[in-house]
Amino acid sequence: MMNGPVARTSHSQVVGELGRAIVAGEFAVGATLPGDAELEARFGVSRTVLREAMKTLAAKGLVVPRARIGTRVTAKTQWNLFDSDILTWHFAVGVDEQFLVHLSEIRLGFEPQAAALAARHASEADINQMMLLAVAMGDPAHTPETLALADLRFHLSVIDAARNPFMRTVGSLIEAALAGIFKLSSPASDHIKIGDVAASHMRIVEEIRRRDEDGARRAMETVIRVGRSRLTDTLVQKRP
């Protein structure tokens, strides 16, 4: 969603459509997927493409093949929710408030610590780059898509400055989370809110520049909590 259009192949089409169908509940947990012949006809693909797609879905934890039984949908506890495709499919089919709470909780579990580590390890060049990215978020010409991309770049820059390779592996989680959040509720239509978003991110950088680890941690927590609150309010307003 963030990196622009991706070339669609037969493999990605099958993975995407079946993945969304599983996440949406079209194929319930414990259900057996249709047989190869039916799926080949449905997608107009070869058995080789179909089997490779099934391997991809199995690697994401969505399905498991069973000899003489077929391919079954696994329990949700086995799904790899750090996988960017699975997160994107959740947002595509619709998420509820509980899902967003869980997502913000996991972000609160590591992004504030990343900000604290950035306060300890970031170079002056890192800090200057983060400030430029934070300031760029205040551009009143932003669309929801460009603001989401600017936000993503900022958060990934903080994680990079943490100098912890394990932190960087969760970049796909942040990307999918921010893409979904801005798709549902973006401050881009309100110039005042855009200014507030930029200011809150600049505060993170200011705390990092001061080498205040606790301050950087708290500033990041505030950004995540405010984003969750804005999105929750939007979902409440959309309820029938």
Side-chain angles (χ1 to χ4, degrees), residues 35-78:
D36 287 355
E38 182 177 340
L39 290 176
E40 288 168 26
R42 173 174 174 173
F43 295 109
V45 297
S46 67
R47 182 153 302 186
T48 299
V49 169
L50 181 62
R51 288 181 175 174
E52 287 303 313
M54 289 301 178
K55 289 180 182 179
T56 299
L57 292 173
K60 295 176 185 292
L62 293 175
V63 300
V64 60
R66 296 296 188 195
R68 296 185 297 277
I69 295 176
T71 301
R72 284 188 171 176
V73 178
T74 59
K76 292 183 179 181
T77 54
Q78 297 183 42

Side-chain angles (χ1 to χ4, degrees), residues 195-206:
D196 290 343
V197 168
S200 65
H201 286 72
M202 284 187 275
R203 279 193 288 275
I204 296 173
V205 185
E206 289 164 359

Side-chain angles (χ1 to χ4, degrees), residues 10-20 53 56-57 60 89:
S10 296
H11 173 269
S12 64
Q13 178 192 359
V14 175
V15 170
E17 291 193 26
L18 282 178
R20 281 191 296 273
T56 299
L57 292 173
K60 295 176 185 292
W89 295 332

Side-chain angles (χ1 to χ4, degrees), residues 79-159:
W79 298 2
N80 178 14
L81 292 180
F82 281 86
D83 184 278
S84 59
D85 284 337
I86 293 180
L87 282 170
T88 299
W89 295 332
H90 272 90
F91 280 105
V93 303
V95 294
D96 57 19
E97 187 174 336
Q98 184 182 43
F99 181 89
L100 297 171
V101 168
H102 290 163
L103 188 57
S104 66
E105 285 173 347
I106 194 64
R107 289 186 66 197
L108 286 168
F110 64 80
E111 284 194 77
Q113 179 61 18
L117 289 173
R120 185 186 309 174
H121 298 300
S123 66
E124 283 302 311
D126 292 330
I127 294 170
N128 290 336
Q129 177 65 13
M130 283 186 279
M131 183 58 79
L132 288 174
L133 292 171
V135 171
M137 293 180 68
D139 186 347
H142 272 309
T143 65
E145 290 77 15
T146 61
L147 181 56
L149 181 58
D151 196 19
L152 173 65
R153 286 171 173 161
F154 176 86
H155 285 270
L156 293 184
S157 73
V158 173
I159 287 180

